[in-house]
Amino acid sequence: MRIGFDISQTGRDKAGCGHYAASLLQAMLPLAPEHEFRLYPHFGPAIWDEKLFALWKAGENERIRLQRLAGDKKELADFWKKAPSLRSHTLDTPDVIHANSYFCPPPLPGCKLVSTLYDLSFVDHPEWTTPENWWNCLSGILDAAFFADQIVAISAYSRRRFLEFFPFFPANRIHIPPPARRMAKAEGDSPSPKICRDLLSGAFWLGVGTLEPRK
């Protein structure tokens, strides 16, 4: 089987979505040695990171190849408007595509589509994002509701909210494989950083998310 995989948010400055996609791919590769992987550094019209080609190029082999879909961001937007046969050829005729960046591509003949669902905070609080990002995320989950064969939700809450907005989508096609942490388990106790030595247990909150109003 040939698996197409969206790595568009896995650059050096990646946040949660990018870490999720990169870690999932790295875990899948040794578990599925009989399958081929086609990696798409540019996936969807909203994200363009030219440095991704150099970042992932070293990992290419007979099973894993990078697929360039366009030469720049404008060409990438035009690419998704092409006829299915032309898109399939450039994508290297995958049997399944896993979308990881809120963009859900139009369907291809003979190709299954899996879409990752992160959260719907942009729907509940549009004031916490930009109009452009709001539209990109909203159009992406709308397309997923109509085109995706399976949806992978990162939490039960995201799954429930999605089904509240799209009650027609079959609930048995949304799965919740809990994301694993990406940090290796430390052996033994590590010394506390100096800045933390005066903190009292139970007297503080630790936040590890990005610096955004919603977090």
Side-chain angles (χ1 to χ4, degrees):
M1 183 168 65
R2 184 168 294 169
I3 302 170
F5 198 84
D6 166 20
I7 59 169
S8 61
Q9 295 198 61
T10 62
R12 296 191 186 278
D13 296 327
K14 58 183 172 288
C17 299
H19 281 297
Y20 176 91
S23 299
L24 178 60
L25 177 62
Q26 289 166 358
M28 288 171 58
L29 291 174
L31 294 175
E34 71 277 20
H35 300 311
E36 297 179 8
F37 289 81
R38 297 297 177 260
L39 310 185
Y40 308 129
H42 301 146
F43 196 79
I47 302 172
W48 184 269
D49 183 355
E50 187 64 32
K51 295 179 181 178
L52 274 175
F53 281 95
L55 186 64
W56 286 90
K57 189 70 176 176
E60 279 195 315
N61 55 45
E62 292 182 357
R63 291 179 54 226
I64 310 162
R65 287 215 310 261
L66 295 176
Q67 293 293 125
R68 181 181 280 275
L69 308 183
D72 56 37
K73 192 171 181 179
K74 182 181 182 305
E75 285 186 13
L76 186 64
D78 293 337
F79 168 77
W80 300 105
K81 302 173 186 177
K82 292 182 178 181
S85 59
L86 295 175
R87 283 188 282 110
S88 180
H89 176 75
T90 304
L91 291 163
D92 204 15
T93 58
D95 297 297
V96 60
I97 288 178
H98 191 151
N100 291 296
S101 57
Y102 277 103
F103 171 74
C104 187
L108 294 174
C111 178
K112 298 294 185 180
L113 178 61
V114 178
S115 180
T116 298
L117 173 67
Y118 297 101
D119 63 68
L120 281 77
S121 61
F122 58 92
V123 175
D124 296 322
H125 293 281
E127 71 276 14
W128 289 348
T129 187
T130 64
E132 179 184 11
N133 187 64
W134 176 85
W135 173 248
N136 289 334
C137 293
L138 180 62
S139 59
I141 64 165
L142 282 170
D143 288 340
F146 286 99
F147 299 146
D149 295 285
Q150 299 286 334
I151 289 178
V152 176
I154 67 165
S155 69
Y157 180 77
S158 291
R159 180 181 185 272
R160 177 167 64 81
R161 292 294 283 142
F162 182 87
L163 290 173
E164 289 173 359
F165 283 107
F166 306 107
F168 61 86
F169 194 89
N172 62 353
R173 284 166 46 194
I174 306 182
H175 307 282
I176 316 168
R181 66 177 185 174
R182 57 187 171 87
M183 303 298 183
K185 183 178 180 181
E187 295 295 334
D189 294 329
S190 300
S192 299
K194 184 177 180 180
I195 196 173
C196 297
R197 290 175 186 170
D198 294 330
L199 295 176
L200 300 177
S201 176
F204 65 93
W205 287 87
L206 172 65
V208 295
T210 52
L211 295 177
E212 302 175 53
R214 66 190 179 94
K215 296 183 179 181

